[in-house]
Amino acid sequence: MRNTIWTAVCAAAAVLWAAVLSGCSDGGDGGSSPSPSPTKKEGTVQVRSSDLGRILVDGTGRTLYLFEADKSSRSTCEGGCAQAWPPVVVKGKAEPEAGTGARSELLGTGEREGGERQVTYDGHPLYRYEGDEKPGDTEGQGLDQFGAEWFVLDPSGKKITREEKEKKPSKKPRQTDGGY
């Protein structure tokens, strides 16, 4: 009787251990196919056409912005600002990559508070906007938040100041710094 219980416990433990190992083996979530590596797309800058003309986007097609308060390659957007306007960063020793239409000689990095490396283009730290719901959205264009304005960039790294043709109102409430 004792051997039967011990054998059942060992068999159950072996099955459980095999399930744990198979769930961890692909770095995934227990059986689904692994997701694409975010590191390649995180630091990729490319060019896409939009209602504002040709603009910079990240590796997933999301619009990239500059913050006019940044006067160098070092970001001034921290805390709540960085939550509404997530910085584009590269991990470890990774370097930003120029995708279609972007100029590799304009890419660089600037150090953020805390040591992260933020991708820059023509010296401007780059950000995404949380109010952009999908690739191609430019809801952040021309917003005045956290003490300065936000603009998309053209392939030469210059801000685009015109507004979209027939800009539709955002369905998402925009976060502000609460200042008047």
Side-chain angles (χ1 to χ4, degrees), residues 1 15 46 49 54 78 93 96 117 130 140 158 180:
M1 177 79 151
V15 168
Q46 55 193 358
S49 293
R54 293 171 39 84
E78 300 291 337
K93 295 181 180 185
R117 293 183 16 222
E130 282 296 306
K158 306 299 181 240
Y180 290 81

Side-chain angles (χ1 to χ4, degrees), residues 77 105 115 147:
C77 180
E105 69 272 13

